[in-house]
Amino acid sequence: MTGDTPILRTVARFAVPLTAGVSVIIFLQGHNLPGGGFIAGVMAAGAGAMYLLAFGVAKAARIRWWKVSVVGC
């Protein structure tokens, strides 16, 4: 089920990759600075939730999220 809102889909097309990229940067930086791993995980979960809300479960199921979890991000 999707919300069928073009505004959410348009924002998600830009915000999800941007949030995921910043999450990776913060995760890599977190090894040298405190608090990076937890905040990176929260941001990655937020990006996943936004993708799920914008595009629905069927489209989100096509992405192999287990590959991301193996990396640890």
Side-chain angles (χ1 to χ4, degrees):
M1 183 173 122
T2 61
D4 291 330
T5 59
I7 295 172
L8 179 61
R9 288 184 188 172
T10 303
V11 169
R13 283 190 186 117
F14 294 106
V16 169
L18 180 66
T19 306
V22 171
S23 173
V24 169
I25 291 170
I26 290 174
F27 179 73
L28 294 175
Q29 184 181 10
H31 289 290
N32 297 326
L33 298 173
F38 178 75
I39 299 301
V42 169
M43 290 182 69
M50 183 182 294
Y51 188 86
L52 184 66
L53 288 172
F55 301 109
V57 176
K59 192 166 182 181
R62 288 189 270 167
I63 298 174
R64 296 183 179 168
W65 295 103
W66 61 269
K67 288 183 179 182
V68 176
S69 67
V70 169
V71 174
C73 198

